Amino acid sequence: MYKKIFLLICLSLSLRAEEYSLGEGVQVGSLPLYLGGYFSLDYQSKKNTERYRVDDIAFIGYGNYEKFSYLAEFEFKEFYVQTQSQNNTFVTQDTTLHAERVYIDYTFNENFIGCVGKYSSPIGFWNMLPVNVLRETTSSPFTSSIIFPQFTTGLSASYNSYGENDLKIDLLVQKNQDLDAGYNNYEINEHYGIGITYTKENLSLKFNAGVFNLVHYNLNNDNEENDWDEDEENDDDNDDDDRSELEKPQRYYALASLKYDHDNFQIMSELGTQASRKEFTTEYAGYIQGLYRFSDKHSVILRGESYKENVLDTTDDIAIVGYTYRPMYPIAIKTEYQFHSQSQNDNFLVSFSMMF
Amino acid sequence: MKVSLKTLSLVLFLFTLPLCGGEYAVIANKEMKPLSLGEIRAIFLKKTPYINDFKAVPVNLGTRDAIRTSFEENILKMNLLQLKSYWTTQHYLGHRPPITMKSANTVKAFVQKVDGAIGYINIESVDENVNILYRWSD
């Protein structure tokens, strides 16, 4: 498998039809096929542990023909992880090649586009760019992983008005199993959502709401690793009336987002909530992030986050200070320090990431 | 010493000449409908692949061309870093930057022949075979 991927990349480089620019992929001959990818390496230091990780190694292929366009992205996630805690060293390797996004778009006209396949849920701003090299910090805010499913496998439709101010409406529907169910923050078998984005000059506002049916709850991020299986919980008690509302699989969510871009600075904020039919499963999760660019290559980032989650009964307030150096835009070297209200989770992160 | 009005006007004209920038036009062939500034931006940023039932084919001049710099500043309202960041992100989303042509004459000839093609050139290079969609100056 790895040899085939390597050979395909070598072939595409030798057959490239246009001058290569780092971060923009290559065309394979004159075919409607462009290849690229990205990877990231990171180091984390916590109170008693240190972790070295080859996190993402991903390959992207895309192209278009007439009114159709397609994209496929396959990724090794946590390819190599070495964790050192006092006297112990653990190494894990996950060599499964996951299907991150696989979809076909159809353009009906200049305003309407439809999509079928597995795609990044068009919810908020952060979730649209879930790749280390493209985001401003190595870590992602909790808001992007505990409110809504990051990926949807099904249909989507979007309307975009291209006036002086843009209005975009997204609809998303899933009524089937996930494609590569293990590669999503929630394993789901149903998802209906709507998003409205309004952009006026440098300011974008977005509102999303939706409902999804949870099959497996897999909250897994840099700070906590928790696994909670809906079906296992239900085996103990099949009577709906005796079940806690928190354990019911249907989840409703809403997320409001704001982004303001200027030449030298950017402000981004998202605030969301998630509930079952009667109770909040996540009362709130939100962040506000400010970025200031000293120059084309250097920027500092400040982010404040807070969340209260009821299923695992976790809550935290986090302040993050980060610095990013981009010798070229598609290459990022980032450092950040996280201060948590639960101070045992304070940690330092360094990463190197690249888009090619 | 008497200075005539003519001389004064000439001196003023010569002094202000360097302050005047070029004048440019966004062009397409005669089949293209009038486009708003928002639509022109959407086409060049590849937000919409179709316009007026034609496949939109935006055409850029070379990276270092002064007309392109002016177009990016005044029409796209983005600087070089913002554009690099934008197209790296678009690569992740499966979109390519516009094709590039070396000269205004090539752009004009291409736009004339291809339905949906849209480019920008100096206003002095515009002739009756192309349609002006938008004018701007530095």
Side-chain angles (χ1 to χ4, degrees):
Chain A
M1 168 66 98
Y2 310 132
K3 277 185 182 172
K4 282 180 185 171
I5 292 169
F6 181 73
L7 284 172
L8 191 62
I9 290 169
C10 290
L11 180 71
S12 64
L13 284 170
S14 63
L15 291 176
R16 64 187 189 270
E18 56 191 52
E19 197 178 326
Y20 178 68
S21 178
L22 186 67
E24 293 180 8
V26 288
Q27 184 176 12
V28 180
S30 56
L31 296 172
L33 170 62
Y34 294 88
L35 293 177
Y38 58 88
F39 69 87
S40 76
L41 318 170
D42 63 40
Y43 164 80
Q44 184 189 50
S45 173
K46 289 174 87 168
K47 194 175 180 184
N48 296 316
T49 60
E50 285 183 302
R51 185 192 67 196
Y52 302 86
R53 186 168 67 164
V54 179
D55 188 19
D56 301 329
I57 303 175
F59 304 96
I60 304 171
Y62 61 88
N64 63 71
Y65 179 74
E66 301 288 330
K67 290 193 166 186
F68 290 95
S69 61
Y70 67 90
L71 185 144
E73 179 186 358
F74 297 96
E75 177 176 306
F76 296 106
K77 186 77 181 164
E78 300 205 323
F79 187 71
Y80 176 88
V81 184
Q82 180 180 317
T83 311
Q84 293 174 348
S85 56
Q86 293 176 337
N87 299 324
N88 296 318
T89 299
F90 304 99
V91 173
T92 58
Q93 285 180 282
D94 185 350
T95 53
T96 314
L97 190 60
H98 295 283
E100 181 158 334
R101 297 177 296 160
V102 181
Y103 61 79
I104 296 172
D105 277 342
Y106 181 79
T107 302
F108 291 95
N109 58 40
E110 60 201 71
N111 300 110
F112 287 98
I113 295 177
C115 169
V116 59
K118 182 180 182 184
Y119 52 87
S120 294
S121 306
I123 300 170
F125 294 116
W126 197 281
N127 196 53
M128 303 311 294
L129 301 172
V131 178
N132 189 351
V133 67
L134 296 178
R135 59 187 186 234
E136 305 302 344
T137 54
T138 304
S139 65
S140 291
F142 279 80
T143 316
S144 67
S145 60
I146 62 172
I147 300 288
F148 53 83
Q150 290 171 332
F151 296 96
T152 303
T153 305
L155 301 170
S156 80
S158 69
Y159 165 83
N160 208 329
S161 78
Y162 301 104
E164 290 308 304
N165 309 315
D166 285 357
L167 175 70
K168 186 167 189 259
I169 299 170
D170 292 300
L171 294 174
L172 48 145
V173 176
Q174 172 174 349
K175 195 166 172 51
N176 43 261
Q177 299 299 316
D178 280 329
L179 175 66
D180 197 347
Y183 199 90
N184 204 351
N185 56 332
Y186 295 112
E187 185 183 335
I188 56 173
N189 58 14
E190 227 172 314
H191 185 195
Y192 305 98
I194 185 168
I196 298 170
T197 313
Y198 177 74
T199 304
K200 185 180 169 73
E201 295 174 355
N202 299 332
L203 177 69
S204 292
L205 302 169
K206 191 169 186 177
F207 178 76
N208 290 92
V211 55
F212 63 92
N213 201 55
L214 184 66
V215 177
H216 185 86
Y217 186 21
N218 186 24
L219 183 67
N220 188 351
N221 55 56
D222 289 344
N223 303 304
E224 299 287 340
E225 290 191 2
N226 303 296
D227 208 39
W228 184 80
D229 196 311
E230 189 74 31
D231 296 333
E232 284 172 18
E233 293 286 323
N234 294 346
D235 287 345
D236 298 332
D237 189 351
N238 288 323
D239 185 349
D240 269 9
D241 294 337
D242 291 343
R243 290 168 57 189
S244 160
E245 274 301 314
L246 294 177
E247 295 172 3
K248 287 189 176 174
Q250 203 159 49
R251 298 293 163 80
Y252 300 84
Y253 66 84
L255 185 82
S257 320
L258 172 153
K259 188 165 74 168
Y260 182 81
D261 267 308
H262 191 268
D263 288 353
N264 296 328
F265 68 89
Q266 182 195 66
I267 294 169
M268 192 152 88
S269 181
E270 297 183 336
L271 178 64
T273 185
Q274 188 199 76
S276 64
R277 286 197 176 174
K278 290 182 182 169
E279 290 181 74
F280 283 105
T281 43
T282 297
E283 289 187 23
Y284 63 87
Y287 73 90
I288 181 163
Q289 175 177 283
L291 170 142
Y292 182 77
R293 289 183 198 90
F294 287 101
S295 70
D296 289 359
K297 296 178 180 175
H298 304 274
S299 52
V300 289
I301 299 99
L302 290 174
R303 186 166 78 228
E305 284 185 55
S306 185
Y307 70 92
K308 181 167 174 30
E309 205 266 355
N310 290 338
V311 176
L312 301 163
D313 196 22
T314 53
T315 180
D316 204 354
D317 300 314
I318 309 157
I320 292 167
V321 184
Y323 162 74
T324 298
Y325 171 61
R326 290 181 187 272
M328 301 167 71
Y329 188 82
I331 298 174
I333 299 164
K334 302 176 196 168
T335 59
E336 70 179 72
Y337 195 86
Q338 302 183 357
F339 302 89
H340 290 252
S341 57
Q342 298 162 5
S343 61
Q344 73 274 15
N345 285 329
D346 287 0
N347 69 89
F348 173 67
L349 277 164
V350 182
S351 73
F352 174 82
S353 53
M354 187 170 108
M355 176 78 76
F356 55 89
Chain B
M1 189 177 74
K2 276 191 177 179
V3 180
S4 73
L5 195 61
K6 236 181 191 177
T7 316
L8 194 63
S9 304
L10 184 66
V11 169
L12 266 176
F13 174 75
L14 288 172
F15 266 101
T16 53
L17 193 61
L19 300 176
C20 300
E23 197 177 352
Y24 314 105
V26 178
I27 55 163
N29 73 11
K30 297 286 186 184
E31 302 297 318
M32 181 68 82
K33 68 170 186 178
L35 299 178
S36 69
L37 194 58
E39 286 172 316
I40 293 170
R41 286 192 78 220
I43 290 169
F44 273 89
L45 295 176
K46 293 280 191 89
K47 288 181 175 178
T48 176
Y50 273 79
I51 199 81
N52 204 15
D53 284 336
F54 294 123
K55 186 176 181 185
V57 188
V59 186
N60 264 333
L61 285 166
T63 319
R64 291 175 187 172
D65 193 292
I67 306 176
R68 176 167 170 176
T69 307
S70 175
F71 178 80
E72 291 170 347
E73 280 174 8
N74 293 287
I75 307 298
L76 301 185
K77 300 196 186 300
M78 293 168 94
N79 61 34
L80 202 60
L81 177 68
Q82 287 169 319
L83 279 163
K84 185 63 190 168
S85 140
Y86 180 82
W87 288 115
T88 304
T89 302
Q90 292 303 305
H91 166 53
Y92 174 74
L93 298 173
H95 302 139
R96 306 294 304 169
I99 55 172
T100 301
M101 291 186 177
K102 283 183 180 170
S103 73
N105 282 340
T106 324
V107 170
K108 194 167 65 174
F110 183 78
V111 158
Q112 215 174 300
K113 285 178 188 165
V114 179
D115 289 338
I118 172 170
Y120 48 83
I121 56 175
N122 203 308
I123 197 84
E124 290 151 12
S125 307
V126 174
D127 60 32
E128 70 283 355
N129 297 315
V130 292
N131 190 7
I132 295 181
L133 301 174
Y134 192 82
R135 280 169 184 251
W136 87 95
S137 55
D138 281 332

